[in-house]
Amino acid sequence: MTRRTCQAIILAAGQGTRMKSRKPKVLHQVAGLSMLGHVTKVASEAGVDLVSLVVGPEMDDVHKEASRIHPSVNAHIQTERLGTAHAVLAARADMIDAKDDILVLFGDTPLLRTETILKMREKLADGNDVVVLGFHSDEPDPYGRLLEQNGKLVAIREGKDCSQEEFKVNFCNGGIMGFAGQHLLTLLDSIDSNNAQGEFYLTDAVEKANEQGLKVLAIEADEAELQGVNNRMQLAKVEATFQYRARVNAMTNGATLTAPETVFFAFDTQIGKDVLIEPNVIFAPGVTVADNAEIRAFSYLEDASVGERCIVGPYARLRPGTILQEGAKIGNFVEIKKSLIEKGAKVNHLSYIGDARIGAKANIGAGTITCNYDGYEKFKTDIGAGAFIGSNTSLVAPATIGDGAFIGAGSVITQPVNADALAVSRSKPVVKDKWAASFRAAKEKKSKR
């Protein structure tokens, strides 16, 4: 497709009333990203130059969310609710110098695909003036029907207004529309509110465009892709659809999910080939997993990079800033935060590693913790290549353990340890023979009084 300019008008003024929430509806999340974020991200990927965001009063957070994802966002406040065409006209200032393509999107349809928007833009580039996105449904009520004649869309009819023949039509209105930019303002200004609701409906643009001799076309998308969200139940349904898609995509691209329905992905999770993912694994945003890695059961990963042939879990937690290099192993009940675990290093069980570097092939014993926080500041721990840290060791940061050093089990390390040195820090044990027997006898005698 030759380069055409494009504007997306995203309607996002919903207050979340039916969500029973103080948060604007479009800021509720699906797979770790707001619904608005999903729509804005797809628009950006489809080559949209300008996002015109229609919001309600005091919805600065909505503007900030869209601006976090797209570099050019103008917010327009809709002060009255007089229908979808009226909402689009809130962005009139951005339409004066119209782009080639103008898309009207909804901030609560997070499953819309980039390829679908690109298809709409292709149809506009082919000379169509209005392109409407629809879907076929076995249960078309309560959706509006897309009425076609000879391959041309002639009207969008609300279900309650359909004739008996029109009522049988199962090609439904998905709400999303594309326009040749040069015609949109004229079409919007021609729409009136002569209807039972007294509102200005964007769907009327289809008949207005036909009256003006413009080319109007409907194209089809999958019904699931056009799901909107008005309440928490619909939000859960959309989340389930996203997760099904993500699981299928991971397996199609070469990953093994032993219990797919128990694995949850974020919007940006990247999984390599020949990756094994066991049951009950959760990927929060920002995770990449390289080829041949294993993510074992009941692990939680967030903003972390897992290298080739790494093993994570079971019951591991990778927190933001974790980087595992090739062949690293993180075992059960281990938490890693903001740390680099270099090639072949092992943190096998019951340990906390935070703000640290673990050198290549180092071995961290069970119960080891990096004491990285003093209540005010965070401090770093650096453990050299090939070092061995004995079980139940506390490394009080800032701490430096040289290459090949050994730390004896149960030590509390507060000073630097040189390469190849042995450090042991323990209190001298006190042993009193037969003390326990005397203690029990005294207690039993007291209890009999």
Side-chain angles (χ1 to χ4, degrees), residues 186-221:
T186 301
L187 288 172
L188 290 171
D189 287 334
S190 68
I191 294 172
D192 58 46
S193 59
N194 294 328
N195 52 62
Q197 301 299 319
E199 295 185 351
F200 299 87
Y201 294 130
L202 186 62
T203 51
D204 290 347
V206 168
E207 290 182 85
K208 297 296 183 182
N210 281 300
E211 291 171 4
Q212 296 174 28
L214 301 179
K215 294 180 68 175
V216 185
L217 178 72
I219 62 173
E220 184 180 359

Side-chain angles (χ1 to χ4, degrees), residues 6-13 36 39-40 43 48-55 62-63 66-67 70-77 87-99 101-107 184:
C6 185
Q7 172 189 357
I9 300 172
I10 301 179
L11 305 185
L36 176 62
V39 177
T40 307
V48 167
D49 302 288
L50 171 66
V51 171
S52 301
L53 189 67
V54 178
V55 298
V62 176
H63 185 197
S67 298
H70 195 283
S72 182
V73 179
N74 293 338
H76 304 273
I77 298 176
V88 172
L89 275 170
R92 178 188 288 272
D94 288 346
M95 290 182 274
I96 301 299
D97 183 17
K99 305 293 186 185
D101 305 334
I102 299 181
L103 306 170
V104 178
L105 310 176
F106 293 84
L184 180 54

Side-chain angles (χ1 to χ4, degrees), residues 93-235:
D94 288 346
M95 290 182 274
I96 301 299
D97 183 17
K99 305 293 186 185
D100 295 322
D101 305 334
I102 299 181
L103 306 170
V104 178
L105 310 176
F106 293 84
D108 62 357
T109 55
L111 299 179
L112 183 64
R113 298 176 187 264
T114 302
E115 50 265 40
T116 301
I117 296 182
L118 288 172
K119 185 177 179 181
M120 294 182 74
R121 293 196 63 195
E122 287 171 2
K123 297 301 181 183
L124 291 170
D126 288 343
N128 293 285
D129 300 299
V130 180
V131 177
V132 177
L133 197 58
F135 61 94
H136 283 89
S137 177
D138 294 333
E139 297 180 1
D141 280 341
Y143 303 109
R145 308 306 204 275
L146 300 183
L147 306 180
E148 297 178 298
Q149 292 180 3
N150 301 318
K152 181 178 181 179
L153 182 65
V154 296
I156 302 176
R157 190 84 71 233
E158 294 302 318
K160 62 180 181 296
D161 298 324
C162 287
S163 67
Q164 285 189 341
E165 284 301 310
E166 292 170 344
F167 194 76
K168 298 176 184 177
V169 173
N170 70 346
F171 194 19
C172 303
N173 178 31
I176 292 167
M177 302 176 72
F179 297 88
Q182 60 182 323
H183 298 303
L184 180 54
L185 267 180
T186 301
L187 288 172
L188 290 171
D189 287 334
S190 68
I191 294 172
D192 58 46
S193 59
N194 294 328
N195 52 62
Q197 301 299 319
E199 295 185 351
F200 299 87
Y201 294 130
L202 186 62
T203 51
D204 290 347
V206 168
E207 290 182 85
K208 297 296 183 182
N210 281 300
E211 291 171 4
Q212 296 174 28
L214 301 179
K215 294 180 68 175
V216 185
L217 178 72
I219 62 173
E220 184 180 359
D222 183 70
E223 181 176 0
E225 183 176 352
L226 299 178
Q227 291 180 74
V229 174
N230 289 308
N231 55 49
R232 306 276 183 166
M233 290 73 75
Q234 291 174 344
L235 183 67

Side-chain angles (χ1 to χ4, degrees), residues 380-406:
K380 293 186 176 181
T381 297
D382 190 88
I383 298 175
F388 181 92
I389 311 298
S391 298
N392 200 33
T393 293
S394 296
L395 303 172
V396 181
T400 302
I401 310 299
D403 294 349
F406 270 61

Side-chain angles (χ1 to χ4, degrees), residues 6 29 31 58 93 112 175 185-186 189 202 204 211 242 263 270 275 283 296 305 315 317-318 354 364 372 378 384 437:
C6 185
Q29 293 191 341
E58 299 181 359
L112 183 64
L185 267 180
T186 301
D189 287 334
L202 186 62
D204 290 347
E211 291 171 4
F242 178 94
V263 176
Q270 298 179 43
V275 170
F283 296 95
R296 294 179 174 169
S305 173
Y315 295 95
R317 183 184 181 193
L318 304 188
I364 309 300
N372 57 328
K378 297 288 179 70

Side-chain angles (χ1 to χ4, degrees), residues 242-270:
F242 178 94
Q243 294 301 334
Y244 175 78
R245 277 187 189 176
R247 293 162 188 156
V248 169
N249 183 64
M251 291 185 287
T252 300
N253 288 309
T256 294
L257 279 60
T258 57
E261 69 281 0
T262 70
V263 176
F264 290 83
F265 293 100
F267 72 97
D268 60 351
T269 308
Q270 298 179 43

Side-chain angles (χ1 to χ4, degrees), residues 364-383:
I364 309 300
T368 296
I369 62 171
T370 56
C371 307
N372 57 328
Y373 184 50
D374 67 357
Y376 296 92
E377 297 181 76
K378 297 288 179 70
F379 299 92
K380 293 186 176 181
T381 297
D382 190 88
I383 298 175

